[in-house]
Amino acid sequence: MKRIFFPVCFVTVLTLSNDCYSQSFLKKMKDKVNKTVDKALGNEVEKKTGIPTDQGSNNSNSNSSSGKPANKGGGGLSNTEPPDVKAQMAEAETAHGAKNYNDARYSLQQALMGVEIQLGRQILKSLPATIVALPADTMQDKVMSTQWGWSNLNIQRVYKNGADKQLTVSIGNAGIYSGLANMYFANATMMEANGEKQNFKQVRVKGNKAIIQYEDSKGYTLIVPIGQTSMIVWECINFANEQEVMAAANSFDIDGIKKMLGEQ
């Protein structure tokens, strides 16, 4: 088993890393790499150490910070390039050959993270430069990858006019909204009303099912699911009305984003 799984992972990631637009590469990664590595390497490490591979991942530091001085400044962290996919795969192969399974697993994770960040940057480049007269603030562009598979990938861009009007679009795993979306799409007749005003409503954006929410304190939130655990979320502050929010969302190439993420 150990002789077979690593070459499969190596070839899969190298091939897919050269084509960030492949419609199925993230699914193939998740199926061929995540499952194989978690099963093979994870079990190998656990067998040798007696420690489950996921132990400690959810531990939190409960120590109180009382009595400590407040930090008043610092140089921060320098911006680094995403992991080099080919270099990480080479390191993983070397570590695997030496039966250093922890390092092999880590390098595979880094390789996948590198591909996800490249994909996220490609999606950011495809987004409009201006939305409803709001220019993109590219200094706030974010691409975050936390684990394996694109369900842990989050891409964010902010559009604003320098005053009090702003649109934030998030693409990926928006956990804060997933429960809300699931609840409302599971029941086609469900909605919440406040007097004569609806707080939630089901709509469609370019043929995609969506829900729109309004709160005085937050403004408008529009959610379009594009996969099992992924969605596009528009958070619109100080927009005039629902129609302006819908016009902004319709300016995005939703099908193109889905295709790049392998959801179409």
Side-chain angles (χ1 to χ4, degrees), residues 174-193:
I176 189 172
Y177 293 113
S178 59
L180 176 67
N182 290 336
M183 178 175 66
Y184 279 86
F185 285 121
N187 186 346
T189 63
M190 186 173 183
M191 62 181 61
E192 182 178 327

Side-chain angles (χ1 to χ4, degrees), residues 29-225:
M29 281 186 187
K30 193 172 183 178
D31 293 341
K32 290 188 177 181
V33 181
N34 187 19
K35 186 183 295 183
T36 305
V37 173
D38 279 346
K39 220 171 178 182
L41 294 184
N43 290 346
E44 194 70 34
V45 173
E46 184 172 344
K47 183 168 64 177
K48 287 178 176 293
T49 64
I51 302 173
T53 55
D54 60 349
Q55 183 171 324
S57 60
N58 295 320
N59 288 346
S60 59
N61 186 357
S62 59
N63 293 335
S64 172
S65 61
S66 60
K68 292 183 179 179
N71 185 64
K72 297 180 180 179
L77 301 176
S78 60
N79 191 21
T80 59
E81 288 298 312
D84 183 288
V85 177
K86 292 184 179 180
Q88 290 297 326
M89 290 304 301
E91 290 183 15
E93 186 176 26
T94 300
H96 181 264
K99 297 185 178 180
N100 188 343
Y101 300 117
N102 271 328
D103 283 355
R105 192 173 194 269
Y106 174 78
S107 293
L108 286 171
Q109 289 174 323
Q110 290 295 298
L112 289 176
M113 184 181 295
V115 174
E116 287 194 341
I117 292 174
Q118 290 176 36
L119 172 63
R121 290 181 175 180
Q122 290 292 332
I123 290 175
L124 282 173
K125 288 180 182 179
S126 74
L127 299 182
T130 303
I131 295 294
V132 291
L134 297 175
D137 181 2
T138 56
M139 295 299 293
Q140 295 195 52
D141 282 356
K142 294 179 182 177
V143 179
M144 296 167 283
S145 174
T146 56
Q147 287 183 5
W148 300 67
W150 95 271
S151 63
N152 294 285
L153 176 66
N154 189 270
I155 303 153
Q156 187 178 96
R157 170 165 285 178
V158 175
Y159 296 83
K160 60 183 182 179
N161 62 2
D164 57 357
K165 188 173 182 178
Q166 178 173 304
L167 180 151
T168 301
V169 58
S170 300
I171 303 166
N173 183 21
I176 189 172
Y177 293 113
S178 59
L180 176 67
N182 290 336
M183 178 175 66
Y184 279 86
F185 285 121
N187 186 346
T189 63
M190 186 173 183
M191 62 181 61
E192 182 178 327
N194 181 11
E196 295 181 356
K197 294 281 188 178
Q198 289 180 276
N199 291 337
F200 295 96
K201 185 168 70 171
Q202 295 191 28
V203 293
R204 284 187 179 269
V205 180
K206 290 188 171 180
N208 297 279
K209 292 181 180 179
I211 56 174
I212 189 169
Q213 172 189 15
Y214 176 77
E215 295 181 27
D216 284 335
S217 60
K218 292 176 58 179
Y220 293 93
T221 303
L222 178 64
I223 305 169
V224 174

Side-chain angles (χ1 to χ4, degrees), residues 243-256:
Q243 289 71 33
E244 189 177 23
V245 173
M246 297 299 292
N250 279 304
S251 299
F252 287 79
D253 182 6
I254 298 175
D255 286 343

